[in-house]
Amino acid sequence: MSPSGLIVIGRKIPSAVYVLAALGLLLAIVVPRFATPGNLINLLRVAGILTIASYGQAIIIITAGLDFSIGSAVALTSVLTVLLVEPLGTPIAFACGGGAALAVGAINGVLIGGARLPPFLVTLGMLIFVHGLASLLVGGVPLEAPAGMGMMWLGKGTIFGIPTPIILALLGFLALSILLQGTTIGRYWYLVGASAHAARLAGVPVGLTLFLAYVVGSAFVAVAGMVLTSRVGSGQPYLFPTLPFEAIAACAIGGLPLTGGAGRPIQVVAGVLILTASENAVVLLNVSSAAQLMIVGALMVGAVTLQHFKWRRYGKWRLYGAPRGGTEARAVRAQRGRR
Amino acid sequence: MQTRSVAIVQLFRAGVAPPSLIIAIILLTISIPYFATLSNAATILGAVGPLAVAAVGEMLVIVTGGFDISVGAVAALGSVMAALTINVIGPIGLVAAPATGAFCGILSGFLISRLSVQPVIATLGTMLAARGLALALGGGYQTIELGEGNNVLWLGYGRILGIPVSFLIVIAVTVIATLFLDHLRLGRRLMMIGSNVISAELIGVPLVRSIVTAYALCGLLAGLAGMIFVGRASAGLPTEGYGLELQAIAAAVMGGTALSGGVGWPPFVLIGALFIQTLVNGLNLAGLSPFVVELATGAVIVFAGLLDLAIRRFAAAQPETHGG
């Protein structure tokens, strides 16, 4: 990443990919049964869903926001889908489920893009609100899908021998790359994330840009929610409560600065794979679930800290959200020199 | 004229909590028969302890422009550590809870200020580590009962002059935090960092030390919340505190703390916590499902943000605005 943190189409391989390669090699040597085709395919299948959700999170992080509500949005998708299979038929039920996730994104978008509320606050509120809604719809207990619900291929099936979630993750990669690098709105997302003030001065419709970020982000979440629903085959209000944290962690591990304005799809994929591979390895090593939490936490902080060592050479101004490189920092440094 | 507009702005600094609390109390009194009784008021004051203490701690880091999402997990770890220590050295072991919390806070603060990890990642890491450690110490999702003769229930249920002991702790914490932020140099520094980190460093504020202190204090107060858990349950609770951080942040914001940093006053945060606790209590008394309570909490958080925005816009339109 360049000092300004703005170069996106750079040919440089992001450091997270090196970390992933080193980690993969280490795990293959140290952990028995890690590098077997069966385990790797299973790992990728699990990673697929998280990857799709993380694409959505990445768009929002690029605009310098955060989305916690996705943890409940996928739950609402699954609950609504299973409820609607009987009256409406499977395909329409899935469409409605996905639509619910989109609606959550649209509400986030209106509140954050339109009213300019802090993303952190809005999406936390929506996380709790939508979870209450999903629980209320099914009375708080998981609802089994009616027998013969179609669409099972979405979560469990394969296309040309490759599990569907992996195919969807690859398609999502393509879509995200085109969106971020080939479309005006994608460029606007970077601009708004780097500096909303500068973007407005440059004539970017900031509110609309933010609104679209949350809607498009939730489209990825909707797909992830549909795949999850098909995978578990039931409507669960507690479907994937750690999803927002894992998605944010994956983006951070991949090297997306949460201050916005930078990030590439490949980093998201690398981040997800680092996270999933280490979780998988910890399970293979038969560590208790409590220790797993600690290891994942330490790993996440470690991976992010490691990437900061490179950044440190830009000096103390890196500390605590101070300006990264760029004009502002130069101005400050010049001022200090004069003093 | 000028004093009047300053007074208006001071009033706005309170955020939406005080009017919301008054409206909530009026509405609940009208609609629920047993709400407006002295014993129910004491119930609310007794139950608000962990949330209020955690919210004041959360405010201390939010005014520096950061936030801490490890509060719930740190409270759980604090309660587990306190229970383990009490079983060895008696009730004095309660202090292990805030000590553990302060240690977790120092860890987060160090990661954030010295290694420049973003607050959300650093405290997420602390959250996972603290929750994992609490569960591991609890031997897998079990509570740690206190041994015979180690009675700490006075902490959770005792009353002095009719006021719950835990609420007296809340009052003490609020007063100390207010004096700290308004009158101590370190407290002023936290506000300066939140207002403008570059200016703060240019005039010589030691960033690393100040930020580590802010997170250490937040951790300490989260541990204190864990200590109140022990007092109420007479056990260490490794699975307690999920969602405490969300409610604490909500209480802080409703109490007028700006998420962008630099603005906040502990007494209003306490009122924000009281509002959330009153709402939960009222909806429970009305016999509504816990999911409706959840729904209402989420809606209130978003609504608080909207009202906060409206008030800020209005305050900004007034002449002579002082952000706080």
Side-chain angles (χ1 to χ4, degrees):
Chain A
M1 212 175 306
S2 77
S4 70
L6 266 173
I7 292 183
V8 196
I9 324 182
R11 295 279 172 270
K12 216 173 142 249
I13 298 174
S15 53
V17 174
Y18 294 114
V19 176
L20 175 63
L23 182 76
L25 204 64
L26 180 76
L27 293 180
I29 296 169
V30 176
V31 182
R33 299 191 309 281
F34 178 79
T36 54
N39 183 51
L40 288 181
I41 292 217
N42 185 37
L43 192 161
L44 286 178
R45 191 194 282 267
V46 174
I49 297 172
L50 180 58
T51 312
I52 299 168
S54 300
Y55 290 150
Q57 190 71 250
I59 294 178
I60 289 157
I61 288 180
I62 285 171
T63 66
L66 274 179
D67 191 350
F68 289 100
S69 67
I70 64 173
S72 302
V74 291
L76 185 63
T77 302
S78 90
V79 166
L80 207 61
T81 305
V82 171
L83 276 177
L84 292 179
V85 162
E86 284 282 305
L88 295 178
T90 309
I92 300 178
F94 267 85
C96 289
L102 271 176
V104 173
I107 296 174
N108 285 336
V110 167
L111 289 170
I112 295 163
R116 303 308 303 275
L117 294 185
F120 182 76
L121 183 78
V122 170
T123 58
L124 274 188
M126 287 299 283
L127 174 75
I128 303 175
F129 181 84
V130 174
H131 183 257
L133 188 65
S135 306
L136 208 58
L137 281 175
V138 290
V141 287
L143 183 70
E144 274 305 308
M149 180 175 88
M151 304 285 279
M152 282 307 173
W153 56 270
L154 202 57
K156 297 176 179 166
T158 57
I159 298 173
F160 306 122
I162 306 170
T164 324
I166 302 178
I167 302 265
L168 286 173
L170 291 174
L171 287 176
F173 184 86
L174 212 63
L176 186 65
S177 304
I178 293 170
L179 262 174
L180 286 181
Q181 288 164 24
T183 66
T184 315
I185 188 69
R187 309 309 303 163
Y188 280 178
W189 286 333
Y190 285 106
L191 264 173
V192 170
S195 169
H197 185 63
R200 184 177 299 108
L201 292 183
V204 174
V206 175
L208 184 66
T209 306
L210 284 174
F211 173 76
L212 285 176
Y214 284 85
V215 171
V216 176
S218 70
F220 283 103
V221 175
V223 175
M226 293 194 287
V227 174
L228 264 172
T229 307
S230 148
R231 195 175 147 82
V232 298
S234 60
Q236 300 192 5
Y238 294 91
L239 184 57
F240 199 161
T242 57
L243 179 64
F245 299 121
E246 293 199 23
I248 293 168
C251 290
I253 292 172
L256 268 65
L258 296 194
T259 41
R264 291 156 62 186
I266 184 78
Q267 292 179 307
V268 180
V269 176
V272 170
L273 287 178
I274 292 174
L275 193 67
T276 322
S278 28
E279 279 175 347
N280 174 276
V282 174
V283 173
L284 285 182
L285 285 173
N286 244 341
V287 189
S288 78
S289 67
Q292 282 175 32
L293 279 182
M294 287 155 71
I295 292 174
V296 171
L299 187 106
M300 200 178 71
V301 173
V304 174
T305 314
L306 219 67
Q307 293 176 2
H308 273 278
F309 277 120
K310 195 182 65 178
W311 293 351
R312 286 280 293 286
R313 68 186 140 100
Y314 301 119
K316 280 172 97 175
W317 294 107
R318 266 316 218 166
L319 287 179
Y320 209 64
R324 292 161 285 141
T327 330
E328 210 177 336
R330 269 201 298 281
V332 169
R333 251 180 310 220
Q335 227 167 19
R336 291 184 100 199
R338 239 182 286 132
R339 201 158 53 105
Chain B
M1 199 60 203
Q2 193 189 341
T3 27
R4 210 190 73 193
S5 66
V6 169
I8 291 173
V9 172
Q10 283 293 328
L11 204 64
F12 288 139
R13 215 177 69 156
V16 292
S20 309
L21 182 61
I22 294 168
I23 294 170
I25 288 177
I26 293 174
L27 287 180
L28 291 169
T29 307
I30 295 170
S31 53
I32 301 164
Y34 300 107
F35 178 77
T37 56
L38 268 181
S39 75
N40 191 43
T43 307
I44 295 175
L45 293 187
V48 81
L51 174 59
V53 170
V56 170
E58 190 71 63
M59 192 217 80
L60 289 177
V61 297
I62 294 180
V63 294
T64 72
F67 50 84
D68 188 339
I69 54 173
S70 69
V71 169
V74 168
L77 178 63
S79 80
V80 168
M81 293 297 279
L84 290 173
T85 320
I86 290 169
N87 281 341
V88 178
I89 62 168
I92 192 71
L94 275 176
V95 295
T100 313
F103 178 77
C104 293
I106 290 172
L107 189 71
S108 309
F110 179 78
L111 288 169
I112 290 163
S113 58
R114 192 75 199 86
L115 300 179
S116 51
V117 180
Q118 289 123 344
V120 64
I121 296 297
T123 56
L124 187 58
T126 313
M127 173 178 114
L128 293 174
R131 182 67 72 186
L133 192 58
L135 292 174
L137 288 173
Y141 302 91
Q142 284 167 11
T143 58
I144 300 170
E145 304 290 335
L146 296 187
E148 283 294 311
N150 290 324
N151 189 356
V152 292
L153 285 176
W154 54 268
L155 178 63
Y157 298 98
R159 301 226 173 133
I160 297 174
L161 300 175
I163 303 169
V165 172
S166 61
F167 193 67
L168 291 176
I169 297 178
V170 170
I171 300 271
V173 163
T174 311
V175 169
I176 294 170
T178 310
L179 293 177
F180 169 74
L181 274 183
D182 282 355
H183 296 292
L184 282 192
R185 187 163 58 185
L186 189 56
R188 301 313 300 165
R189 282 178 174 167
L190 297 187
M191 293 295 217
M192 283 157 68
I193 291 171
S195 303
N196 190 331
V197 68
I198 300 174
S199 317
E201 168 134 36
L202 282 176
I203 63 165
V205 171
L207 282 190
V208 173
R209 206 170 356 124
S210 310
I211 291 168
V212 169
T213 317
Y215 282 87
L217 288 174
C218 176
L220 186 134
L221 290 178
L224 210 59
M227 190 176 100
I228 300 175
F229 286 161
V230 178
R232 291 186 76 80
S234 194
L237 307 167
T239 55
E240 190 65 35
Y242 282 108
L244 180 65
E245 55 277 347
L246 306 189
Q247 291 195 342
I249 292 169
V253 171
M254 291 204 70
T257 314
L259 280 172
S260 48
V263 181
W265 204 47
F268 293 137
V269 174
L270 171 58
I271 295 178
L274 276 173
F275 168 71
I276 291 181
Q277 194 65 45
T278 306
L279 189 71
V280 170
N281 173 283
L283 294 177
N284 280 335
L285 276 185
L288 292 172
S289 114
F291 309 124
V292 177
V293 177
E294 212 174 0
L295 212 72
T297 316
V300 158
I301 293 176
V302 175
F303 194 61
L306 276 174
L307 279 178
D308 192 41
L309 178 91
I311 288 172
R312 247 169 249 291
R313 289 236 170 110
F314 186 65
Q318 301 290 315
E320 286 292 322
T321 44
H322 304 270

